[in-house]
């Protein structure tokens, strides 16, 4: 790893570690910047770096959320909490789960398919008050998310904070939810997908593009330019090969709980690998985000009190054991 990248690893941290060299420095390709998710959507707060060391103003760390910082998918945990509060009908929730499962198991498809998927995922908040859902997000974090934070990943983030560096979450999760997670973890802030609102009410549409794949790299570059960061001294962490553009744009890339494609890429490029999953089988590792889908499917039964299981819920349960 480049010496200038700062303290991004700790031999005493939990998890299996593979370190095979420095990243090859390949940069993500061009494309429109995710402006709404970066420079035009400033972080909700700025947690000060650790007072034990001087601030390191040109180095930072960027963490994916789903299956990297948190077990499963944060939007599924959020939907589960809303279902328990009767925010949507059983048929709406079953349709949401089924569409998510088809997307995650069938592949992502074209950029238009990805955008359509995320808009469908956001549609369940259409017509809801922004402030009310943010307040509920705080409750749901305590109920369903706090215990699903990977302690090993959290320790890696804290290591950067203790070195005086800033730490951002970078996720396709809606920005409001990403900011709640960042604040609860004591991080600097978050970049996320921006859900459109009018007069304080969500419309169910996106502002700008989905913060996914190459868009994450664009958002990180925009943030680095805004904050005066040297990307060669920055680090990024993710579980998914979809985040290869973000991992490639920084000086130090770390694969955390990686899917099989990212694990292979990390080995080829000499990126460090951290795996905090214990006792997981390869079949489950191959569909990591379905864990969240199973949680929502469980909410269909428990929260909405449906006796009959849908096809989606049965499939989710089989996949996550």
């Amino acid at each position: 790893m480049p010496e200038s990248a700062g303290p991004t690893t700790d031999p005493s941290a939990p998890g299996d570690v593979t370190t095979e060299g420095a990243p090859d420095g390949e940069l993500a390709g061009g494309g429109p910047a995710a402006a709404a998710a970066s420079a035009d959507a400033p972080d909700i707060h700025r947690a000060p770096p650790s007072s034990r060391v001087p601030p390191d103003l040109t180095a930072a760390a960027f963490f994916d959320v789903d299956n990297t910082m948190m077990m499963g998918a944060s939007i599924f945990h959020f939907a589960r909490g809303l279902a328990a509060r009767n925010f949507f009908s059983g048929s709406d929730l079953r349709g949401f789960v089924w569409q998510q499962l088809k997307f995650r198991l069938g592949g992502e498809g074209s950029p238009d398919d990805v955008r359509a998927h995320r808009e469908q995922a956001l549609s369940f908040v259409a017509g809801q008050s922004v402030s009310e859902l943010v307040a509920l997000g705080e409750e749901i974090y305590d109920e369903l998310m706090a215990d699903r934070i990977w302690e090993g990943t959290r320790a890696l983030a804290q290591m950067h904070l203790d070195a005086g560096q800033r730490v951002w979450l970078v996720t396709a999760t809606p920005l409001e939810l990403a900011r709640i997670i960042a604040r609860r973890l004591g991080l600097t802030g978050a970049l996320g997908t921006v859900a459109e609102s009018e007069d304080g009410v969500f419309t169910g549409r996106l502002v700008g593009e989905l913060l996914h794949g190459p868009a994450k790299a664009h958002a990180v570059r925009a943030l680095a330019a805004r904050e005066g960061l040297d990307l060669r001294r920055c680090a990024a962490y993710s579980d998914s090969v979809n985040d290869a553009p973000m991992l490639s744009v920084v000086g130090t890339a770390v694969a955390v709980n990686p899917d099989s494609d990212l694990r292979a890429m990390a080995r080829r490029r000499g990126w460090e690998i951290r795996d905090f999953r214990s006792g997981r089988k390869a079949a489950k590792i191959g569909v990591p985000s379905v864990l969240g889908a199973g949680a929502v499917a469980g909410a269909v039964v428990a929260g909405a009190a449906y006796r009959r299981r849908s096809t989606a819920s049965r499939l989710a349960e089989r996949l996550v054991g």
Side-chain angles (χ1 to χ4, degrees):
M1 289 187 185
E3 182 178 355
S4 61
T8 60
T9 59
D10 180 356
S12 65
D16 299 328
V17 182
T18 302
T19 307
E20 302 180 26
D24 62 9
E26 179 183 352
L27 299 181
S38 53
D40 292 341
D43 303 307
I44 197 168
H45 78 294
R46 295 179 182 278
S50 170
S51 59
R52 287 178 287 177
V53 295
D56 186 346
L57 298 179
T58 62
F62 307 100
F63 285 80
D64 173 54
V65 174
D66 296 346
N67 299 303
T68 302
M69 183 63 73
M70 178 182 296
M71 301 177 195
S74 53
I75 195 169
F76 284 114
H77 300 317
F78 184 56
R80 179 187 174 192
L82 292 181
R85 291 161 171 82
N86 299 316
F87 259 68
F88 21 64
S89 69
S91 60
D92 288 341
L93 188 54
R94 289 195 299 272
F96 173 77
V97 173
W98 180 242
Q99 290 299 322
Q100 298 295 306
L101 282 170
K102 286 200 302 182
F103 176 79
R104 293 180 184 278
L105 297 180
E108 296 184 349
S110 69
D112 287 342
D113 291 335
V114 172
R115 182 182 179 89
H117 155 75
R118 182 56 60 174
E119 289 191 339
Q120 189 276 337
L122 292 177
S123 65
F124 71 89
V125 299
Q128 302 292 341
S129 163
V130 175
S131 60
E132 183 177 0
L133 284 185
V134 168
L136 288 175
E138 299 279 358
E139 296 178 8
I140 293 169
Y141 177 87
D142 291 332
E143 294 171 4
L144 300 174
M145 299 183 192
D147 291 341
R148 290 177 167 84
I149 299 298
W150 290 107
E151 287 303 322
T153 311
R154 186 171 187 170
L156 291 172
Q158 188 61 47
M159 182 173 53
H160 287 278
L161 294 172
D162 290 343
Q165 299 173 6
R166 289 167 286 176
V167 177
W168 280 274
L169 299 179
V170 185
T171 175
T173 293
L175 183 59
E176 289 80 6
L177 182 57
R179 284 171 164 172
I180 290 171
I181 299 169
R183 183 172 64 254
R184 292 304 191 91
L185 295 176
L187 308 182
T188 308
L191 305 179
T193 296
V194 179
E196 181 185 74
S197 64
E198 295 178 355
D199 300 323
V201 175
F202 284 117
T203 67
R205 297 186 294 269
L206 294 178
V207 175
E209 60 184 303
L210 173 73
L211 197 62
H212 174 89
K216 284 190 177 183
H218 303 327
V220 165
R221 285 195 185 100
L223 179 65
R226 189 181 83 199
E227 299 292 328
L229 300 173
D230 180 354
L231 286 174
R232 294 170 299 180
R233 301 192 63 243
C234 292
Y237 300 79
S238 179
D239 72 296
S240 174
V241 73
N242 295 321
D243 287 339
M246 179 178 74
L247 294 169
S248 298
V249 81
V250 296
T252 300
V254 182
V256 177
N257 305 327
D259 60 33
S260 58
D261 290 337
L262 181 59
R263 185 180 293 273
M265 177 180 289
R267 287 172 174 164
R268 289 196 306 270
R269 299 188 178 188
W271 293 346
E272 184 178 335
I273 297 172
R274 291 268 180 162
D275 201 327
F276 303 114
R277 299 167 296 198
S278 60
R280 290 185 178 269
K281 302 300 182 182
K284 291 185 180 180
I285 293 173
V287 285
S289 294
V290 176
L291 177 62
V296 177
V300 177
V301 178
Y306 275 85
R307 295 180 182 274
R308 297 180 61 187
R309 293 178 179 175
S310 67
T311 301
S313 65
R314 292 197 302 269
L315 176 58
E317 288 173 0
R318 288 201 299 270
L319 287 169
V320 301

